Amino acid sequence: GATIAEEKMRIANLISGAVLVLFGLVMLALVIPAQIEEGPAGMMSPRLVPQMMVWLILGLSLLLIVTNLRASSGEAGPFTRDEVIAFLRIGGVFGLSLVLFFALGVLAASLALILGALLVLGERRPLVLVLMPLGLIGAAYVLFTHVLGTVFL
C-alpha cells in the first residue's frame, strides 16, 4: 500500500491541479478580456498567446488531476518532493520579480529574476552570477535602445 507521505502528496497534487484549473478559468473568463484589448480587424488578436498559455496550463492541470485520480494507492504521484520544492522556489523568484517590477522598475526585476533563477537552480560560481545578469540585461538594453530605438529603462 501507499505510505502516508505518498497519499498526502497525491492529495496535494489533486488540490494543486484544482487550484490551477480555477486560476486558468478566471484568467480566460475575466483577466485576459479585461486587461488585453482585441486587435483591429485583420490582425492577429493580442489575446491569442496569453490564451494559448492559459489553455496549456489548464490542460496540464487537468492531466495532473486525472493522473492522481487514476493512481493506485501503491503508486507515487507524478512529482517528487524535491520537484515540488523547486517549483515553489522558482515561483517565489517570479513573484519577487513581479513585485520589484512594479515597485522599482524593470532593472531590479530583471536582476532578481536572473540571479534568483541561477541561485535556485544551484549555480554558485561567482563569475557566472555576475556575468550572466550583466550579459543578458546588457544585450536587452542594446536590443531595445540601439536596434529597436525604444526606451529600455
Side-chain angles (χ1 to χ4, degrees):
T3 65
I4 293 172
E6 289 172 341
E7 189 59 28
K8 284 183 178 180
M9 188 65 183
R10 192 174 77 80
I11 292 169
N13 286 337
L14 289 169
I15 292 169
S16 299
V19 168
L20 285 169
V21 166
L22 181 63
F23 165 79
L25 294 174
V26 168
M27 290 294 289
L28 286 173
L30 302 174
V31 177
I32 291 175
Q35 297 294 321
I36 304 172
E37 303 212 7
E38 282 290 336
M43 183 181 136
M44 184 174 66
S45 173
R47 295 179 182 177
L48 179 63
V49 174
Q51 286 172 336
M52 287 172 38
M53 294 302 104
V54 172
W55 278 110
L56 179 66
I57 290 170
L58 271 172
L60 292 172
S61 303
L62 290 172
L63 179 65
L64 179 63
I65 290 171
V66 169
T67 302
N68 280 279
L69 284 176
R70 292 180 55 196
S72 68
S73 299
E75 286 184 35
F79 303 113
T80 65
R81 181 178 184 276
D82 290 339
E83 290 170 336
V84 172
I85 290 171
F87 173 75
L88 292 174
R89 286 180 178 166
I90 289 289
V93 167
F94 275 98
L96 174 66
S97 297
L98 190 61
V99 168
L100 288 174
F101 176 77
F102 288 113
L104 300 175
V106 70
L107 189 58
S110 302
L111 191 60
L113 182 62
I114 297 165
L115 271 176
L118 286 171
L119 290 170
V120 165
L121 293 172
E123 183 59 59
R124 296 294 182 262
R125 294 174 291 180
L127 193 60
V128 173
L129 291 173
V130 170
L131 293 180
M132 180 83 67
L134 284 176
L136 290 173
I137 294 170
Y141 177 78
V142 168
L143 172 69
F144 281 96
T145 58
H146 297 299
V147 177
L148 299 175
T150 59
V151 177
F152 181 67
L153 300 173

